[in-house]
Amino acid sequence: MFRNSKEAKTMSENIHHNQHEVEHADGMIDGISSLPDGVLHHMLSLLPTKDVVRTSAVSKRWKNLWASVPNLDFDDTLLYASEVDHIHSPESTSFMNFVERILRFRDTSKIEKFRLSCRVCFNSSRISSWISSAIMYNVRELDLCIFADDSSVIPQSLFDCKSLVILKIEMDCVLVFPPRVSFPCLKTLHLSLVTFADDDSIGKFFASCLVLEDLVLLDCDCINLKNLTISSWTLKRLTIDDIPVYEPNGCKIKIDAKNLKYLKYTGYLPNEISLSNAPSLVEASIHIPILNGRQKEVACRAVDLLKGLQNVVFLRVSNCTMECLIFAGSMLARFPVFPKLTHLVLTMEIGDYTFGAFMDLFNFCPTLQSINLSEGFDQCIELGENDSVWSPVPICISRHLKTLTFKNFHANDSEICFLKCILKYALVLEKMDIWWCTARPRDKKERDVMKELEMIKRCSTACVITFP
Amino acid sequence: MTSSKTIVLRSSDGATFEVDEAVALHSLMIKHRIETGGADSTTIDVPEVTGNTLSKVIEYCKKHVEAPNSDDLKSFDTDFVKVDQAVLCHLAKASYYMNIKGLLDLSSKTIADMFKGKTVEQIRETFHIKNDFTPEEEEELRKENSWNLFV
């Protein structure tokens, strides 16, 4: 670019000269005003719109920046503070006028991201017009949280939006779609709290998202559904979160996603979920807490879900898996084997009640290389070296296990016994990482424990024990 | 032409820095220059950035390219932006020109956080911005913004 360093130097002198940094009497420089528009827009797009608009009064340089900031973020949370009748209060009207004025005085033809949260202030036709404006500005990312009675507040033009890449809707009502839906560019879809209307329309809706890659369903209500098929050629990530729903529902959810790589499920399985076609699934995170009164039913549904995870390589599980093994009873014969599973993370404390099941689990993971007990053991657990769980030693522990991570370590007898057994039997163990619990003991005790563990006779001489 | 393992970056004030190609490619601007450049693409000029800033930018890129999964990446980032305003602004500008998204996001967010919840006067004080409106202009602004709850 420069033929010699002299040219480079002249160029740099010019740049400094043009920087027009204002130096004040007290020697403090206003560096920020001399940043290029692009940087300031990027910075302003990280602020809620009310803060952005405030900058227009700072100085001449800032006066018109706000009108072309690519992102808009309107949140009526500030209205919560007042105790008055929100729907008709003057604050509510001011908020609505504020949004309209900003949309009217846009300096540019595009909006990158539009976020609207209306939990308090509500006027269906005005909100609908704001969303329409955003769509006319070719919005790329739309994030709506609207506490409305019905979904008519969403303009029809949304369902035909050619520019939309990310759509997030949080609405506690029945979501009704128009007969024709078209999302040619939509890659990410998050639906929260919505109630689906019927099998047909929701099936058509998912089918019209031709390039969908990431789908998140949070607390969605399937009460009107009998058979829901989520069918997508392009879907890579699916997250379903059902946590507040305890009552079983009759809906069968089938996932037909040839390219699905990641599945996360959290809840009590009120609906039956099964993966009818997910050969590419590599990573799964399944968290099903214990639900008193429905254990066996949930365990059976969990086994069906786990069956679809056969090719998984990374698996994070919690209580459910242990419960499945305890309650599934005769279904145990149908418990899936995970032939490719190499990394297992357990996200809850193992107790006396679940330790047997935990050890049984290893019979279903023949090639397991890494175990992470991210919550360690329950403090009341009682283990001994001659417990029956160690005869025979699960194959994966003796032949494949390379890494063991043990967190929430209290250095009590059972924990040390467990670690002793692992060291005794794991032929190819390379690393054992032990993380102290929050109440870390004082240095001397810590050193004593570390010494004790170092002294244990180990089957794999290459094994290194670390205390990160 | 064999692919070079190191690239030399030259700042506006002539300082040169030799970096691994992989680290340099963290800047999409440099990546583009290398891909469209000719035989000279082993030395790349970055005239928008001074030596001091470029050295910090390189430090950021090195960490993020060499140890992207390390546990201390978050604390590295937090400490990285614990600098005075002038340096922070230079980092933001450099990351914008050099097209380094992570650093632009990091420095922008740090500056943005300094705006949150402040009144106009407080913003001026924090960033040493001179109020260059005349009293008449200010009055005009106040009238125009009477609809605005937030000024």
Side-chain angles (χ1 to χ4, degrees), chain B residues 34-46:
Chain B
I34 293 176
E35 284 170 356
T36 58
D40 277 343
S41 49
T42 48
T43 301
I44 299 199
D45 285 289
V46 194

Side-chain angles (χ1 to χ4, degrees), chain A residues 45-295:
Chain A
S45 66
L46 298 170
L47 287 170
T49 300
K50 63 180 170 71
D51 285 323
V52 174
V53 174
R54 192 178 293 137
T55 65
S56 65
V58 168
S59 77
K60 286 184 178 161
R61 160 79 176 115
W62 292 81
K63 184 159 180 267
N64 294 314
L65 273 176
W66 67 273
S68 42
V69 168
N71 297 356
L72 293 176
D73 183 327
F74 300 107
D75 193 331
D76 71 356
T77 318
L78 67 112
L79 299 175
Y80 290 175
S82 76
E83 300 274 310
V84 296
D85 166 20
H86 298 297
I87 297 180
H88 304 292
S89 72
E91 285 90 348
S92 227
T93 316
S94 285
F95 174 77
M96 292 195 268
N97 290 341
F98 171 69
V99 175
E100 269 152 22
R101 178 137 175 159
I102 292 186
L103 284 172
R104 215 183 321 149
F105 288 101
R106 288 291 292 172
D107 220 0
T108 165
S109 60
K110 279 187 66 176
I111 295 180
E112 275 285 311
K113 179 173 168 181
F114 184 80
R115 182 182 166 262
L116 178 67
S117 178
C118 287
R119 292 165 194 255
V120 166
C121 146
F122 185 68
N123 178 312
S124 189
S125 59
R126 286 174 92 169
I127 293 180
S128 195
S129 70
W130 304 341
I131 302 174
S132 295
S133 289
I135 292 170
M136 284 196 295
Y137 279 118
N138 293 316
V139 68
R140 237 183 127 255
E141 182 177 342
L142 192 58
D143 186 342
L144 304 171
C145 170
I146 305 175
F147 279 22
D149 287 331
D150 62 62
S151 62
S152 61
V153 67
I154 299 182
Q156 301 274 295
S157 55
L158 178 101
F159 297 105
D160 217 321
C161 183
K162 296 190 178 33
S163 56
L164 216 51
V165 176
I166 299 174
L167 176 61
K168 298 182 185 176
I169 298 179
E170 182 181 335
M171 285 181 73
D172 190 2
C173 66
V174 177
L175 195 55
V176 175
F177 305 120
R180 233 201 75 226
V181 174
S182 162
F183 286 121
C185 298
L186 194 68
K187 286 199 177 154
T188 301
L189 176 64
H190 290 206
L191 296 173
S192 302
L193 299 177
V194 303
T195 300
F196 296 128
D198 59 71
D199 288 349
D200 222 20
S201 64
I202 183 69
K204 269 206 207 120
F205 177 78
F206 285 138
S208 62
C209 302
L210 301 171
V211 295
L212 194 65
E213 289 181 10
D214 193 335
L215 177 62
V216 174
L217 301 173
L218 287 175
D219 305 337
C220 292
D221 197 340
C222 297
I223 197 150
N224 299 324
L225 306 181
K226 292 221 158 46
N227 286 294
L228 169 62
T229 305
I230 300 173
S231 178
S232 167
W233 196 260
T234 52
L235 195 65
K236 294 200 177 117
R237 297 174 61 91
L238 175 62
T239 303
I240 301 179
D241 195 317
D242 273 335
I243 272 291
V245 185
Y246 303 111
E247 292 306 311
N249 191 33
C251 178
K252 290 187 173 31
I253 300 177
K254 264 218 192 80
I255 299 164
D256 171 13
K258 207 169 109 143
N259 288 302
L260 190 69
K261 295 214 160 39
Y262 174 82
L263 173 69
K264 180 170 181 195
Y265 180 79
T266 309
Y268 300 101
L269 287 172
N271 304 299
E272 294 171 35
I273 302 181
S274 61
L275 288 129
S276 66
N277 178 23
S280 311
L281 194 68
V282 164
E283 187 178 344
S285 175
I286 311 285
H287 174 61
I288 305 176
I290 297 170
L291 181 62
N292 290 321
R294 270 184 69 212
Q295 287 102 323

Side-chain angles (χ1 to χ4, degrees), chain B residues 52-92:
Chain B
N52 284 339
T53 308
L54 188 55
S55 133
K56 274 217 86 153
V57 169
I58 290 170
E59 189 193 325
Y60 175 90
C61 293
K62 261 191 117 167
K63 181 73 178 181
H64 279 251
V65 168
E66 288 170 4
N69 298 315
S70 78
D71 290 326
D72 71 340
L73 201 62
K74 257 208 169 121
S75 57
F76 170 84
D77 280 355
T78 310
D79 290 338
F80 193 77
V81 285
K82 282 191 180 142
V83 291
D84 66 42
Q85 253 184 54
V87 177
L88 198 53
C89 290
H90 289 141
L91 283 174

